[in-house]
Amino acid sequence: MRIASWNVNSIRARLEHLRTFLGSASPDVLCMQETKVEDEKFPEEALGDAGYRVVYFGQKTYNGVAIAARYGLGIEDVKKNLDGDEDDAPRRLLAATIEGVRIVNVYVPNGQAVGTKPFAYKLAWFERLGLDLATHHKPDEPLLVCGDFNVAPTNLDVHEPKRWEGQVLCHPDERAALGRLLSWGLVDALRERHPDEKVYSWWDYRMGAYRKNHGLRIDLALVTSPLLARTKDVWVDRSVRELERPSDHAPVLIDIGESQA
Amino acid sequence: MRIASWNVNSIRARLEHLRTFLGSASPDVLCMQETKVEDEKFPEEALGDAGYRVVYFGQKTYNGVAIAARYGLGIEDVKKNLDGDEDDAPRRLLAATIEGVRIVNVYVPNGQAVGTKPFAYKLAWFERLGLDLATHHKPDEPLLVCGDFNVAPTNLDVHEPKRWEGQVLCHPDERAALGRLLSWGLVDALRERHPDEKVYSWWDYRMGAYRKNHGLRIDLALVTSPLLARTKDVWVDRSVRELERPSDHAPVLIDIGESQA
DNA sequence: GCCCTGCGGG
DNA sequence: CCCGCAGGGC
């Protein structure tokens, strides 16, 4: 089973690229972030025409998450947002079980700048995500937590660590929060498979960052040990980041083999 | 010599279509309206790459006119706006002499709604245009006045005259104003050559008007008798109106033969 | 830079 | 329906 995660930066602005990606990478499941569309206006038909059933949880202008799965795959036990989130909370989490794999699709708050209220909200959101996982799951279940984490785990995941040191996306407090999440029983699958590779998933639209490969790896696939054992490979597909008017993120993909149970 | 007139509805939003049109119709001269760009930001290079020299007279957001002529053709005696227009007047007229033909490129005010102040301004603009022509030209000169006139000359130029009766673009006062312009010594070249054809040049973006061919002919090529004698044909080229994200107008083209003088 | 939301103009 | 613009987010 191939699962992809992609911050599309507006699903309506990215429909053509979405078709291109589904056609070329052919994932069985696609987790999307920053769909930026309320559910009533979600382009369900376009996904259907491409051969995917989709569940979505979005809002106007900001945030919004969705999971598309190839027709024939069941999408079970859908969960929206974190426990305790009010109805008007930013829509940042969508979880579902597909082919026995629990998939938690997250769009972690960006945090704006270190020391701000949004930054505190981001750190708290990480803690609440940890609580959520501990409440509903165990580290020995096949669980994938993927999405835009808005944190580069280590300096290996940053093109120019000096320039980013202490900045939002690279701050020790964010890395520690991610670390606590991992310590529960998750592994950063790409880094596990490719311990030394410089791989990025996001390049700022500004300053010609993509052209210069000034990127960060902030889109992650975290897996429990039973899923890690089934993981064949993890990689970033830059092809859609090369197109005209792309999302600022490239998709992360993970190939998972059959369960031996 | 082939001269085209096209309301592009933002030249920057239409650059790709513009290249397509110049490549397929291959006009020697292209008069554009609603360029919607200040002169400092005019995409002169794109036109140059396509093989055209260009003069322009535009402003931010609204209006704006330009004339492109194939390299090798001279662009002489450029005139901007009507006599008496202040510097801050809407930029709606650009005239130039090319290959001995005086070309007056106009974007007549829309008029918004009958009875409004903009409507009165539109009627006054027509009168001032007439004065301008009478001041600077004679009906026995080779003169072309082309552009978006925002008037459908007769009900033959309207897909559903009943629905448009008395409305702006079809109101008797506008038609009379256009009539006075013609009475000075101009002929509606397309109608002269095709007396009974239903031909439209503009279709509202809304209500699927193009799909239903609910159009109006408001883009005109008016010629003096010496030019009429040289006119081989006049037509509307719908090809660029069929593309994705088109202008709401289609170009009008006129083919003019060599002077016998 | 590129996305969103309104708004005003057509 | 499709432009432009301004303002905010990332």
Side-chain angles (χ1 to χ4, degrees):
Chain A
M1 183 163 62
R2 175 168 297 175
I3 302 170
S5 170
W6 188 17
N7 180 321
V8 291
N9 189 13
S10 170
I11 192 168
R12 286 177 295 179
R14 219 66 60 205
L15 273 185
E16 203 52 49
H17 289 20
L18 196 48
R19 277 185 277 265
T20 300
F21 176 69
L22 293 173
S24 65
S26 198
D28 299 294
V29 176
L30 173 60
C31 296
M32 289 164 274
Q33 303 88 38
E34 285 208 84
T35 52
K36 293 188 177 177
V37 65
E38 46 202 326
D39 293 347
E40 298 68 33
K41 297 184 179 174
F42 191 93
E44 191 162 3
E45 194 175 310
L47 273 294
D49 293 347
Y52 290 80
R53 181 191 320 283
V54 62
V55 291
Y56 39 86
F57 185 51
Q59 66 187 89
K60 207 192 258 197
T61 314
Y62 305 118
N63 314 306
V65 277
I67 303 177
R70 201 190 287 290
Y71 277 123
L73 300 183
I75 304 182
E76 289 157 30
D77 300 321
V78 172
K79 178 186 196 292
K80 295 173 176 182
N81 263 1
L82 295 168
D83 294 348
D85 265 332
E86 304 289 339
D87 282 357
D88 62 352
R91 300 187 162 187
R92 297 183 168 278
L93 182 148
L94 187 61
T97 303
I98 298 172
E99 297 283 291
V101 177
R102 186 61 179 172
I103 299 172
V104 180
N105 174 22
V106 301
Y107 173 49
V108 175
N110 167 281
Q112 240 164 229
V114 175
T116 63
K117 217 162 144 177
F119 190 76
Y121 180 78
K122 177 181 192 173
L123 296 179
W125 202 90
F126 262 113
E127 298 309 318
R128 294 175 57 218
L129 174 59
L131 266 173
D132 231 78
L133 296 180
T135 302
H136 299 290
H137 306 289
K138 288 184 175 168
D140 63 355
E141 297 170 10
L143 170 67
L144 167 69
V145 185
C146 66
D148 177 357
F149 286 77
N150 271 315
V151 180
T154 75
N155 281 348
L156 222 202
D157 304 305
V158 182
H159 80 280
E160 206 187 344
K162 274 271 167 58
R163 229 187 59 191
W164 281 89
E165 194 169 13
Q167 300 296 308
V168 74
L169 306 187
C170 297
H171 192 274
D173 292 353
E174 303 168 75
R175 289 178 170 172
L178 175 64
R180 283 190 290 280
L181 203 65
L182 296 173
S183 71
W184 171 75
L186 291 166
V187 169
D188 176 352
L190 186 138
R191 189 50 72 214
E192 186 74 15
R193 281 317 210 95
H194 304 281
D196 309 310
E197 254 179 58
K198 284 251 168 201
V199 182
Y200 309 131
S201 66
W202 172 80
W203 301 260
D204 199 300
Y205 280 126
R206 292 161 286 190
M207 316 285 284
Y210 185 76
R211 191 178 38 79
K212 296 183 269 190
N213 195 28
H214 285 185
L216 275 73
R217 190 172 66 92
I218 60 178
D219 299 273
L220 310 175
L222 313 182
V223 294
T224 52
S225 63
L227 258 198
L228 182 63
R230 289 164 59 187
T231 297
K232 296 176 182 168
D233 201 7
V234 194
W235 68 100
V236 170
D237 179 356
R238 291 179 174 227
S239 61
V240 284
R241 176 72 245 230
E242 315 260 352
L243 303 174
E244 290 287 302
R245 294 185 91 69
S247 166
D248 44 351
H249 294 254
V252 179
L253 294 102
I254 181 167
D255 273 353
I256 299 196
E258 295 299 309
S259 170
Q260 301 303 315
Chain B
M1 184 162 63
R2 175 169 296 175
I3 303 170
S5 169
W6 188 17
N7 179 321
V8 292
N9 188 13
S10 171
I11 192 169
R12 286 177 297 178
R14 218 66 60 204
L15 273 185
E16 204 50 50
H17 289 20
L18 195 49
R19 277 185 276 265
T20 301
F21 176 69
L22 293 174
S24 66
S26 199
D28 299 293
V29 177
L30 172 61
C31 296
M32 289 165 273
Q33 304 87 37
E34 284 206 85
T35 52
K36 293 187 176 180
V37 66
E38 46 202 324
D39 293 347
E40 297 69 31
K41 297 183 179 176
F42 191 94
E44 190 161 4
E45 194 175 309
L47 273 292
D49 292 347
Y52 291 79
R53 180 191 322 280
V54 62
V55 291
Y56 38 86
F57 185 51
Q59 66 188 92
K60 205 194 259 198
T61 314
Y62 305 117
N63 314 307
V65 278
I67 303 177
R70 201 190 290 289
Y71 277 124
L73 300 183
I75 303 181
E76 290 158 28
D77 300 320
V78 172
K79 178 186 197 291
K80 297 173 175 182
N81 264 358
L82 294 168
D83 293 348
D85 266 330
E86 303 289 339
D87 281 357
D88 63 350
R91 299 185 162 189
R92 299 183 165 278
L93 182 147
L94 186 62
T97 303
I98 299 172
E99 296 284 290
V101 177
R102 185 62 179 173
I103 300 173
V104 180
N105 174 22
V106 300
Y107 173 48
V108 175
N110 169 281
Q112 237 163 229
V114 175
T116 63
K117 216 162 145 178
F119 189 78
Y121 181 78
K122 177 182 192 170
L123 297 179
W125 203 91
F126 262 112
E127 298 309 317
R128 294 175 57 218
L129 174 59
L131 266 173
D132 232 78
L133 297 180
T135 302
H136 299 288
H137 305 289
K138 288 186 176 167
D140 64 354
E141 298 170 11
L143 170 69
L144 166 69
V145 185
C146 66
D148 177 356
F149 285 77
N150 271 314
V151 179
T154 74
N155 280 348
L156 220 202
D157 305 305
V158 181
H159 81 281
E160 207 187 342
K162 275 269 166 61
R163 229 187 60 191
W164 281 90
E165 193 169 15
Q167 301 296 307
V168 73
L169 307 188
C170 297
H171 192 274
D173 292 353
E174 303 169 76
R175 288 178 170 172
L178 175 64
R180 282 190 291 280
L181 203 65
L182 296 173
S183 70
W184 170 75
L186 292 166
V187 169
D188 175 354
L190 186 139
R191 190 50 73 216
E192 186 76 13
R193 281 316 211 97
H194 304 280
D196 308 310
E197 256 178 55
K198 283 250 169 202
V199 181
Y200 309 131
S201 66
W202 172 80
W203 300 260
D204 199 302
Y205 279 127
R206 291 161 287 191
M207 315 287 285
Y210 185 76
R211 190 178 38 78
K212 295 184 270 193
N213 196 26
H214 284 186
L216 275 74
R217 190 172 68 92
I218 59 180
D219 299 275
L220 311 174
L222 313 182
V223 294
T224 51
S225 64
L227 259 198
L228 182 63
R230 290 164 58 186
T231 296
K232 296 176 181 169
D233 201 8
V234 194
W235 69 100
V236 170
D237 178 357
R238 290 177 174 230
S239 62
V240 284
R241 176 72 243 226
E242 315 259 353
L243 303 174
E244 290 287 304
R245 293 186 90 69
S247 166
D248 45 350
H249 294 253
V252 179
L253 294 102
I254 182 167
D255 272 352
I256 299 199
E258 296 298 309
S259 170
Q260 300 305 313

